[in-house]
Amino acid sequence: MTTTASRRLLTVYLPLSLAAILLLFPFYWMLITSIKTNRELIDLSGLPFWVFEPTLEHYRVLFAETGFLRWALNTLIVSVVATAISLACSILAGYTLARLRFRGAGPIGAAIFVTYLVPQTLLFVPLLEVTRQLGLTNTLWSMILTYPTILIPFGTWLLMGYFRSIPRELEESALIDGASRFRAMTQIVLPLALPGILSAGIFSFTLSWNEFIYALVFTTSTDIKTIPVGVVTELVKGDVYFWGSLMAGALLGSVPVALIYSFFVEHYVAGLTAGAVKG
Amino acid sequence: MRAEAREHAIAARPPLSIGEVLDRQGVLAYVLLFPGLLILTVFIAYPFVTSLWLAVTDQSVSTSGARFIGLENFIGELGSQIFQQTVRNTLVYTAVTVVFKLVLGIALAVLMNQSFRLKNLARAALLLPWIVPTALSAIAWLWLFDATFSVFNWLLVHSGLTTRGINWLGEGGWAMTAIIIANVWRGTPFFAITILAGLQTVDRELLEAASVDGASTWQRFWRITLPLVRPVLLIVLLFSTIWTISDFQLVYVLTRGGPANSTHLLGTLAYDVAVRAGQLSEGAAISLYMFPVLIVCVVALLLYLRRSSTT
């Protein structure tokens, strides 16, 4: 008995603990840095892994003296609206590609999949020009309208899989009974695809919340920035780093996605692995 | 079949109401696809064409009219030392991180595929580096790699391994090492979770049968498990290659491409040239150098998906 127990310690719990320490240490570091006093932060003689005089001063500075709350509101607005637009488009497109027979279905499906693989760094330069032509520069709309290009291809791909897994007969019998295709879709197919829609929604929301390069390039004024861009560009003044407030901002900016994700981890993983495992 | 029969019945009876027209699949399909395709056209297809146009002109933020200059931008970059260095950096960064992420990801997935207590909690916690905003976790790494206050240096010095700390972000080779460490930290959970999902589809009876036939753990992994999850590995590798080659955030936050361009990637160089220096055309050309690699990955994925859907 003891040999199996020690064997399991060696093959399971020891390597797992090591992995957990390596993967979670930066978060612990963010947390303790954000509650250390400035004096303790630059004290090289003490033990750096613990906080001896915890303080909330950096959080006070973050809320009272920076645009953090404004950035948080911006990030929320952009993420919610971009997710809503993307979900609507993805549901319609996913349903169409999974269910309807029409000319061009193959090429359109492939084209949407290809756009999923287009990285933001390939297109941010021309998009800067395009948003300028459309008069969107330095507005929340520049992000609300461009984020769906990252979200729709993924959402369509994911939901197409869900719609395909719903038996056609359910819908066809409703059509025979005289329901319109719209009613068949909203009352039969959509409720059954709810887990998929939830996965796509959570994934879209976290991707929007985390987006950086478009938000960095399209916005210039402080009150239009999102959390990632605001924290990175505004809390560093010249060469002076406000480490405590930087960490407080980084931590608080990470908490919403971490919370949403921890409530819906199954859906998130389903979204993450949909392409890879089903594909 | 029944739905099609119904459609023919409708088609033979003009005039049609809007509702009836929409019940025809060919029309309905394009109506439903319209909003998504509109957004993708305006903000992906059109910018892509704009990008090609920009790259063959000499447009900058300060000039109003652009002049066609052919492939001058592309050729000019090839001769530039900074660009050559950037391409080398991008290749090294991508190759090294993808290999590490793959090996560590497989190891972590195999580890997580065992049964143990608090498994769901462990799985949720281990994915955290992947789900939080990269720009924000990069700030933690910026502090972890600080020249004076790096906790790694504290450990190195206090354990007596070195007398002076490493200037992580201030010296070329170490700066590349630092961004590689941060990227591997961020990307390994994605590999692990996706590969884990693949491992869970492997039939346990197959492994038990092999075990009865005398195959060692290593043989079972190498001969049975790995070939079975190969499709998943391939897809994860292609995705990660695309994401890593086009990476931006980690480098932007940690080094801005420095010191002396030793960590510039194509994305960060394009940003410096197009946004900070205002040379839009040159920046567009630099970004477009990602395109060939992207095409190879996309074609590989499409071919693979077509093959797996026909068999």
Side-chain angles (χ1 to χ4, degrees), chain A residues 3-279:
Chain A
T3 50
T4 41
S6 59
R7 203 183 135 82
R8 275 185 66 74
L9 189 72
L10 211 65
T11 59
V12 183
Y13 293 104
L14 208 65
L16 265 179
S17 313
L18 187 69
I21 290 171
L22 290 175
L23 289 170
L24 299 180
F25 179 71
F27 297 111
Y28 173 72
W29 205 241
M30 271 190 210
L31 176 67
I32 64 165
T33 305
S34 75
I35 54 174
K36 279 183 180 177
T37 58
N38 280 329
R39 192 162 53 82
E40 207 175 322
L41 278 178
I42 56 165
D43 177 17
L44 284 172
S45 58
L47 188 71
F49 300 100
W50 194 245
V51 190
F52 296 97
E53 314 160 39
T55 171
L56 289 177
E57 170 64 12
H58 300 304
Y59 288 88
R60 191 198 64 75
V61 170
L62 187 71
F63 288 123
E65 294 169 26
T66 75
F68 188 81
L69 287 173
R70 178 78 223 184
W71 305 333
L73 184 65
N74 290 342
T75 317
L76 188 66
I77 293 171
V78 168
S79 304
V80 168
V81 181
T83 299
I85 292 174
S86 306
L87 270 186
C89 294
S90 308
I91 289 170
L92 295 177
Y95 176 84
T96 306
L97 291 170
R99 273 291 191 271
L100 302 182
R101 291 193 192 147
F102 61 102
R103 288 218 283 185
I108 289 179
I112 291 180
F113 179 70
V114 168
T115 55
Y116 177 34
L117 299 171
V118 174
Q120 284 113 290
T121 32
L122 183 71
L123 288 184
F124 75 95
V125 178
L127 264 175
L128 187 62
E129 193 60 19
V130 171
T131 49
R132 192 162 20 209
Q133 287 167 6
L134 296 173
L136 300 173
T137 314
N138 208 23
T139 64
L140 292 182
W141 286 107
S142 66
M143 292 171 274
I144 290 171
L145 291 175
T146 51
Y147 287 6
T149 61
I150 312 164
L151 314 175
I152 290 172
F154 170 78
T156 304
W157 191 248
L158 178 74
L159 288 173
M160 210 166 75
Y162 266 91
F163 288 138
R164 283 212 177 116
S165 70
I166 297 167
R168 237 173 221 280
E169 291 74 26
L170 283 177
E171 213 182 334
E172 276 169 7
S173 60
L175 289 174
I176 301 283
D177 290 347
S180 68
R181 196 169 269 282
F182 180 74
R183 268 179 69 96
M185 181 181 166
T186 51
Q187 303 201 337
I188 294 171
V189 182
L190 284 192
L192 288 171
L194 211 56
I197 295 171
L198 201 57
S199 296
I202 289 159
F203 215 78
S204 299
F205 184 84
T206 51
L207 278 180
S208 307
W209 190 280
N210 295 359
E211 206 286 329
F212 184 71
I213 184 162
Y214 285 176
L216 175 74
V217 174
F218 300 155
T219 60
T220 46
S221 31
T222 305
D223 55 351
I224 299 295
K225 288 183 176 173
T226 59
I227 293 178
V229 174
V231 168
V232 168
T233 59
E234 305 244 340
L235 295 188
V236 182
K237 305 246 160 60
D239 278 342
V240 185
Y241 289 81
F242 297 92
W243 286 113
S245 304
L246 265 172
M247 293 300 162
L251 200 63
L252 290 182
S254 304
V255 164
V257 281
L259 274 183
I260 289 178
Y261 149 81
S262 60
F263 281 120
F264 299 102
V265 62
E266 291 306 319
H267 287 282
Y268 186 88
V269 172
L272 191 64
T273 54
V277 180
K278 283 184 186 156

